[in-house]
C-alpha cells in the first residue's frame, strides 16, 4: 500500500462538522478553503450561546459558528504543541477574514462539545490587528501566548502540553460574515518544541491514514453525515472510490454503496443507518495501488432511551433485613444514567432501599440522544410506619403493590400475638380493633402470597413488624 502525504501549501478539503473533523499532521502547512457556514451547526443556536471564549454574534441570524473548519490531531510524543493560523487573501482581493479558534480535549467527543459539556481548553475570540492567531508565539510581532482576556488584543493563547496518544479537536472560525460567497483561505501550521524536534512523530501522522475520521456517535434524527475520501493521503490523485458497509460491525461486509460527487468520493449516511463504513481509493497516477481506510469508520445512531423493565432484586419481601432493591434495564446499547424520585443521576442501574409503592424513574442518554419523561414503576413492599391521626396522610397500613401478587393475605398482630386484622388487596388497617384506636407501638404482621418461580406459583410467607404512630 502506498501512502500519500500532504505537502507544503497543499489544498485541503473542509469539514464544517465536528463529527467528520479532518485528521491533520505536522509534516507541512495546509491551506483550507472555507465557504459559507457549513451544513451543520455543531452548537444549538437556541441553547448554546457561548463556549469558552467563542460566543454568538450580535446579528440575530448569527451563531457561534461562522465559516468554520473542524480538524482533529493525535499527539505522537509528549511535549509542547502550538499552531499558527495565517489569514490569506483571495486572489485579487484584500484580506477580510478574521479567524478565531477553539481547542477541545484531550479525548472528548463531539456530542459533549456541541451540547456545551466539554469546554475549550484554549481559544481566542479577539479582534485581530495582525494576520496571525493561534497557540504559542505570534511570528509576526513576537507576542507571547496568554489566557484569553476580552479586548486584550492578544491573538495567541498559551502552549499546549500534550501526552502521547491524546486526541484534540480544533474549531477554526471566521467571525466576519462572507457576503460574496467567495471562499476564504487560511494557512495552518503546527509549531512548538516537540514539533521542531520531529514533525512526523510529534503529531501522529498515522491518524491521517484514517481519513474517514474517528468513530461517530450520533442521534436518530440528526442531520445526515457526509463521509469524504477527499481527505485521504491520496490528495488529488483519485480515480475512483469504492464504498462498502458492515452494518453489524461483525467483520462481514453487507453491501457495496454508490458514492456521490467527484470520483464518487463522498457518501452520505442518513439516520438510523448504523454500521462500519469503508472507502477504498484507486489512484490516477497509474501505479497499481489503492489507499484504504482499513479500519473504516463506525457510525452508531442512538435513539431516545426506552425502558425495558424494572426488576425487583432478591424478592424484596423475602429478604431479612428488609430491603427494596431494583435493577433497571433499557432497550438499547447506548450509555445511560438513571435517577429515581427526583434524585441525582447515577451510572449504576441498581438502586438500593427504594421506597415501597409507586416510584418515578428518569433515564438520560449520556450521548445526548434524549431523556425520558418520568416513568412510574411499582415496588412491592410495606411501609415501616403509618400515622392514623386524621391528617389525610398515611392513614392506613397495608402491603404496597399487594394487588399485583397471587392470593395475598395479611394478618396483623399485637406484640402478644393477638390477631387484630386480616387484610387482602383492598383496603388496609386503620389502626383500630373492634372500633377502638390501638396505641402507638410496634405491630407484627404475617404476609402470605404466591410468587412465580420457574413458571410455577410458589407459596411465600413473610413475617416482620411496623410502627403505628399517633
Amino acid at each position: 500500500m502506498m501512502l500519500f502525504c500532504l505537502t507544503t501549501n497543499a489544498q485541503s478539503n473542509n469539514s464544517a462538522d465536528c463529527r467528520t473533523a479532518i485528521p491533520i499532521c505536522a509534516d507541512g502547512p495546509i491551506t483550507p478553503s472555507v465557504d459559507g457556514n457549513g451544513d451543520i451547526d455543531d452548537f444549538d443556536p437556541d441553547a448554546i450561546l457561548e463556549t469558552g471564549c467563542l460566543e454568538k454574534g450580535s446579528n440575530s441570524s448569527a451563531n457561534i459558528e461562522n465559516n468554520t473548519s473542524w480538524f482533529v490531531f493525535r499527539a505522537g510524543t509528549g511535549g509542547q504543541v502550538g499552531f499558527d493560523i495565517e489569514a490569506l487573501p483571495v486572489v485579487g482581493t484584500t484580506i477580510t477574514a478574521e479567524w478565531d479558534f477553539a481547542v477541545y480535549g484531550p479525548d472528548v467527543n463531539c456530542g459533549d462539545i456541541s451540547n456545551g459539556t466539554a469546554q475549550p481548553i484554549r481559544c481566542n475570540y479577539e479582534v485581530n490587528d495582525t494576520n496571525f492567531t493561534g497557540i504559542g508565539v505570534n511570528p509576526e510581532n513576537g507576542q507571547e501566548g496568554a489566557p484569553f482576556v476580552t479586548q486584550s488584543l492578544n491573538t495567541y493563547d498559551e502552549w499546549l502540553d500534550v501526552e502521547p496518544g491524546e486526541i484534540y479537536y480544533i474549531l477554526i472560525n471566521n467571525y466576519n460574515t462572507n457576503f460574496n460567497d467567495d471562499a476564504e483561505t487560511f494557512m495552518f501550521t503546527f509549531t512548538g518544541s516537540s514539533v521542531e524536534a520531529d514533525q512526523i512523530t510529534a503529531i501522529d501522522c498515522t491518524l491521517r491514514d484514517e481519513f474517514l475520521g474517528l468513530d461517530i456517535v450520533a442521534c436518530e434524527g440528526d442531520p445526515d453525515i457526509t463521509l469524504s475520501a477527499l481527505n485521504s493521503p491520496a490528495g488529488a490523485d483519485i480515480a475512483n472510490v469504492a464504498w462498502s458497509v458492515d452494518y453489524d460491525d461483525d467483520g462481514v461486509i453487507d453491501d457495496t454503496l454508490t458514492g456521490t460527487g467527484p470520483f464518487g468520493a463522498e457518501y452520505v449516511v442518513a439516520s438510523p443507518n448504523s454500521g462500519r463504513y469503508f472507502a477504498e481509493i484507486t489512484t490516477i497516477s497509474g501505479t497499481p495501488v489503492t489507499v484504504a481506510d482499513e479500519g473504516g469508520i463506525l457510525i452508531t445512531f442512538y435513539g431516545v432511551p426506552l425502558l425495558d423493565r424494572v426488576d425487583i432484586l432478591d424478592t424484596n419481601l423475602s429478604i431479612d433485613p428488609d430491603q427494596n432493591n431494583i435493577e433497571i434495564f433499557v432497550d438499547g446499547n447506548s450509555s445511560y444514567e438513571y435517577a429515581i424520585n427526583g434524585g441525582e443521576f447515577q451510572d449504576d442501574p441498581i438502586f438500593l432501599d427504594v421506597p415501597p409503592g409507586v416510584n418515578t424513574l428518569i433515564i438520560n442518554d449520556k450521548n445526548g440522544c434524549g431523556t425520558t419523561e418520568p416513568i412510574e414503576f411499582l415496588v412491592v413492599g410495606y411501609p415501616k410506619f403509618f400515622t392514623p391521626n386524621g391528617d389525610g396522610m398515611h392513614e392506613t397500613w397495608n402491603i404496597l403493590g399487594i394487588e399485583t401478587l397471587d392470593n395475598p393475605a395479611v394478618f396483623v398482630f399485637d406484640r402478644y400475638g393477638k390477631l387484630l386484622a386480616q387484610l387482602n388487596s383492598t383496603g388496609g388497617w386503620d389502626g383500630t380493633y373492634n372500633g377502638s384506636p390501638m396505641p402507638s407501638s410496634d405491630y407484627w404482621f404475617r404476609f402470605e402470597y404466591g410468587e412465580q418461580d420457574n413458571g410455577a406459583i410458589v407459596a411465600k410467607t413473610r413475617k416482620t413488624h411496623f410502627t403505628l404512630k399517633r
Side-chain angles (χ1 to χ4, degrees):
M1 179 178 294
M2 181 178 295
L3 299 181
F4 297 80
C5 295
L6 289 171
T7 56
T8 302
N9 294 330
Q11 191 75 13
S12 172
N13 195 41
N14 179 59
S15 176
D17 185 349
C18 174
R19 300 174 303 179
T20 52
I22 298 171
I24 52 174
C25 190
D27 57 356
I30 58 173
T31 55
S33 177
V34 183
D35 182 11
N37 287 327
D39 58 0
I40 186 170
D41 289 328
D42 284 273
F43 308 98
D44 183 348
D46 297 322
I48 308 297
L49 303 181
E50 183 176 350
T51 176
C53 69
L54 296 175
E55 61 185 44
K56 182 179 172 70
S58 58
N59 297 329
S60 61
S61 61
N63 192 7
I64 292 173
E65 294 184 288
N66 296 274
N67 301 306
T68 54
S69 293
W70 281 93
F71 300 96
V72 60
F73 74 89
R74 181 165 60 206
T77 60
Q80 183 189 76
V81 171
F83 54 77
D84 297 327
I85 302 170
E86 181 183 4
L88 299 177
V90 178
V91 176
T93 67
T94 58
I95 295 175
T96 60
E98 185 174 317
W99 301 105
D100 309 306
F101 70 88
V103 179
Y104 297 85
D107 304 327
V108 300
N109 62 63
C110 288
D112 287 338
I113 292 174
S114 63
N115 67 27
T117 300
Q119 292 287 297
I121 58 173
R122 299 288 189 277
C123 65
N124 195 282
Y125 198 65
E126 193 65 347
V127 175
N128 297 354
D129 60 359
T130 80
N131 288 334
F132 286 85
T133 188
I135 289 177
V137 178
N138 189 325
E140 189 170 80
N141 57 20
Q143 188 178 50
E144 295 280 345
F148 174 75
V149 176
T150 303
Q151 297 183 349
S152 67
L153 298 183
N154 191 341
T155 60
Y156 270 68
D157 208 329
E158 297 177 298
W159 295 103
L160 279 173
D161 290 316
V162 303
E163 295 293 334
E166 290 179 339
I167 291 176
Y168 295 84
Y169 287 90
I170 304 173
L171 165 64
I172 299 177
N173 178 82
N174 175 11
Y175 180 73
N176 287 349
T177 302
N178 187 347
F179 292 104
N180 59 12
D181 293 329
D182 288 336
E184 299 182 279
T185 58
F186 60 87
M187 180 179 290
F188 181 95
T189 309
F190 279 107
T191 61
S193 58
S194 64
V195 175
E196 293 169 2
D198 192 322
Q199 286 184 319
I200 303 301
T201 61
I203 308 299
D204 184 359
C205 288
T206 64
L207 181 64
R208 201 171 51 209
D209 300 332
E210 303 169 29
F211 52 85
L212 294 181
L214 302 176
D215 292 346
I216 295 173
V217 171
C219 301
E220 292 181 3
D222 273 1
D224 294 345
I225 298 170
T226 301
L227 303 179
S228 176
L230 296 174
N231 301 323
S232 78
D237 189 25
I238 298 178
N240 180 65
V241 179
W243 294 90
S244 59
V245 61
D246 173 3
Y247 287 119
D248 299 318
D249 194 26
D250 58 2
V252 178
I253 297 299
D254 297 304
D255 201 0
T256 57
L257 309 168
T258 302
T260 61
F263 325 109
E266 293 184 337
Y267 185 78
V268 178
V269 181
S271 167
N273 294 310
S274 297
R276 187 174 292 276
Y277 292 80
F278 301 88
E280 187 170 292
I281 300 171
T282 302
T283 60
I284 295 174
S285 59
T287 53
V289 297
T290 59
V291 177
D293 187 344
E294 294 180 339
I297 180 172
L298 179 62
I299 300 177
T300 307
F301 290 95
Y302 294 113
V304 176
L306 294 175
L307 176 65
D308 180 14
R309 66 188 189 277
V310 176
D311 277 0
I312 308 299
L313 300 180
D314 304 317
T315 325
N316 287 334
L317 291 170
S318 62
I319 300 176
D320 193 8
D322 305 317
Q323 298 177 46
N324 295 320
N325 304 333
I326 65 166
E327 184 172 4
I328 299 161
F329 292 86
V330 179
D331 184 9
N333 59 350
S334 187
S335 296
Y336 306 104
E337 58 184 1
Y338 315 87
I340 64 171
N341 300 327
E344 297 293 323
F345 280 103
Q346 67 178 49
D347 293 338
D348 192 343
I350 295 177
F351 288 81
L352 306 180
D353 296 322
V354 178
V358 177
N359 295 267
T360 58
L361 163 68
I362 294 177
I363 307 170
N364 179 55
D365 185 309
K366 295 175 68 176
N367 287 305
C369 293
T371 303
T372 65
E373 295 294 327
I375 304 167
E376 291 188 346
F377 66 94
L378 177 66
V379 170
V380 178
Y382 68 93
K384 303 297 172 47
F385 69 91
F386 77 120
T387 56
N389 54 15
D391 67 356
M393 298 179 63
H394 310 296
E395 294 293 330
T396 62
W397 182 95
N398 201 347
I399 301 295
L400 299 177
I402 189 173
E403 68 278 2
T404 67
L405 302 174
D406 290 308
N407 300 318
V410 184
F411 305 91
V412 181
F413 307 87
D414 66 12
R415 66 176 61 191
Y416 304 107
K418 182 177 181 179
L419 179 63
L420 304 177
Q422 180 175 345
L423 312 173
N424 52 32
S425 59
T426 60
W429 186 43
D430 62 2
T432 65
Y433 178 67
N434 288 336
S436 298
M438 297 300 290
S440 297
S441 182
D442 280 356
Y443 291 85
W444 289 84
F445 71 92
R446 187 177 77 248
F447 180 35
E448 299 173 353
Y449 61 100
E451 184 176 89
Q452 292 283 344
D453 188 356
N454 293 324
I457 296 179
V458 178
K460 298 283 186 175
T461 301
R462 179 82 166 101
K463 184 178 181 180
T464 188
H465 59 89
F466 61 95
T467 302
L468 186 159
K469 297 181 181 180
R470 292 195 183 276

